[in-house]
Amino acid sequence: MKAAILVQSNAPLELAELEMPERLSFGQVHVRLHYSGICGAQINEIEAAKGPDKFLPHLLGHEGSGIVERIGEGVTRVHPGDHVVLHWRPSGGLQCQPPKYRWGSKTVNAGWVTTFNDEAIVSENRLTVIPKDFDLRTAPLFGCAVTTAVGVVNNDAQLKIGQSVVIFGIGGVGLNIAQAARMVSAHPIVGIDLHDSKLDMASRWGLTHTLNSATEGPALAEKIRSIVGKSGADVVIDTTGNTRVIELAYDLTHPDGRTILVGVPRAGEKASIYTLPLHFKKILKGSHGGSVSPDLEIPRLINLIRADKMTLDGLITHEFPLSQVNEAIAAHRSGTAARVIIRMDDN
């Protein structure tokens, strides 16, 4: 198998051939990947944002698409030939022992799912079967970006018809939060980002108002209040993980509203907030992938797409072969991309 390996924190990934285990253990599934997405979580892993990495060298990636090759003992929910989405949130099925791969004399670690590799041993509960006629190129978006966004709106924020929402950070997740907010008839839907190109794109997905935080500067909070009302928005969602943005998001939330944190600060970075409103009706909540069950959510989302009630068209803005994985990571880091995907062949 070909794989991109994190050998050292804050260093480029190394491309190499690894040995695939011959035997699958209980609950394991062998998948041949076609595409992988890139998420901010992988950037955090590469940069050791949560602290020293104890598992080096290891594989990366938690959203992908592929076709099942083999199944291990006890696996009943997927079968060879099935088209599947690989996702980081657990759902139905068995949870296996994470695999280990051989790289010459070295052992390479992996979690229950990895996708920066053209083949993978994956835990059954990190796979959801999709129709064989659904595009494998866009299917990785169900592994994190789309399902997380829908879960944030439905489960974490519990956004209602006519409620106002402010979204900080219009990347892959932010774009889909805007789309989900439009689907539940929220209003207004305000998006804030540093890049006008992403704000323009998000206007097609549901934003009613856009603000460039770099352009607005100190006037940003006042501009937002002029749109949502002086008391603040019903829901404010942060996808950036920037502690100063988190503080602003909380401050801009209505006393009866909800602040939802999707982005994660780097290790040691702290936000300062005034907690008294939390003793009344204000809510501050961290999201864990929108609290979704992918095996339930993904089929529903596919039905909505086929009914023309939502779309994935245009969400992928950059595509690279696995051999250019470091260039793909650079595109994601640039801040100008919506979603970057990696294809497993060089054609």
Side-chain angles (χ1 to χ4, degrees), residues 319-334:
E319 179 179 333
F320 296 84
L322 181 61
S323 61
Q324 296 178 20
V325 63
N326 289 306
E327 289 86 342
I329 290 167
H332 180 93
R333 280 176 162 150
S334 72

Side-chain angles (χ1 to χ4, degrees), residues 44-331:
N44 288 340
E45 285 185 81
I46 292 168
E47 297 178 352
K50 297 179 181 180
D53 194 329
K54 301 177 183 178
F55 301 101
L56 297 172
H58 65 79
L59 302 185
L60 294 168
H62 68 203
E63 57 179 13
S65 65
I67 300 175
V68 174
E69 292 275 318
R70 298 180 289 149
I71 60 174
E73 184 183 352
V75 174
T76 60
R77 296 174 68 93
V78 301
H79 303 89
D82 282 345
H83 290 210
V84 290
V85 171
L86 294 79
H87 43 75
W88 68 274
R89 285 278 304 175
S91 55
L94 299 172
Q95 181 153 297
C96 70
Q97 254 328 93
K100 293 181 183 294
Y101 302 95
R102 296 301 301 171
W103 182 18
S105 61
K106 299 178 182 178
T107 297
V108 177
N109 296 306
W112 291 296
V113 58
T114 63
T115 62
F116 285 17
N117 29 270
D118 65 358
E119 297 182 62
I121 303 297
V122 183
S123 182
E124 182 188 22
N125 68 351
R126 262 61 175 192
L127 297 170
T128 294
V129 177
I130 60 173
K132 290 185 177 180
D133 62 350
F134 195 86
D135 184 11
L136 286 173
R137 182 176 181 271
T138 55
L141 298 173
F142 291 132
C144 180
V146 177
T147 45
T148 294
V150 170
V152 166
V153 169
N154 282 342
N155 302 328
D156 298 325
Q158 298 182 10
L159 191 62
K160 302 293 192 298
I161 293 172
Q163 288 190 327
S164 56
V165 58
V166 175
I167 307 162
F168 282 95
I170 309 299
V173 175
L175 279 168
N176 284 287
I177 290 173
Q179 179 169 214
R182 179 177 63 184
M183 290 167 68
V184 300
S185 297
H187 186 82
I189 306 171
V190 185
I192 298 97
D193 200 274
L194 293 167
H195 301 278
D196 287 332
S197 60
K198 289 162 68 176
L199 292 170
D200 291 342
M201 177 185 294
S203 295
R204 304 197 301 272
W205 264 266
L207 293 186
T208 61
H209 299 76
T210 62
L211 294 169
N212 186 313
S213 53
T215 302
E216 298 295 340
L220 179 63
E222 183 181 344
K223 282 286 186 70
I224 294 171
R225 290 185 187 278
S226 71
I227 297 167
V228 302
K230 291 183 178 180
S231 296
D234 296 302
V235 172
V236 183
I237 302 168
D238 173 64
T239 73
T240 70
N242 183 298
T243 53
R244 303 289 80 81
V245 175
I246 289 170
E247 292 169 355
L248 178 59
Y250 179 77
D251 184 61
L252 288 168
T253 303
H254 190 280
D256 295 341
R258 299 168 297 287
T259 309
I260 310 299
L261 307 182
V262 181
V264 179
R266 296 180 65 86
E269 294 183 354
K270 298 180 180 180
S272 178
I273 62 169
Y274 179 54
T275 61
L276 180 61
L278 298 176
H279 295 270
F280 296 92
K281 293 185 177 182
K282 195 166 188 173
I283 293 172
L284 174 64
K285 182 176 182 178
S287 176
H288 190 256
S291 299
V292 298
S293 295
D295 59 335
L296 299 177
E297 204 68 58
I298 291 172
R300 294 170 182 164
L301 295 174
I302 290 175
N303 286 339
L304 288 171
I305 290 168
R306 289 182 162 170
D308 293 325
K309 294 185 179 294
M310 70 176 296
T311 184
L312 304 182
D313 294 344
L315 288 173
I316 296 169
T317 55
H318 298 70
E319 179 179 333
F320 296 84
L322 181 61
S323 61
Q324 296 178 20
V325 63
N326 289 306
E327 289 86 342
I329 290 167

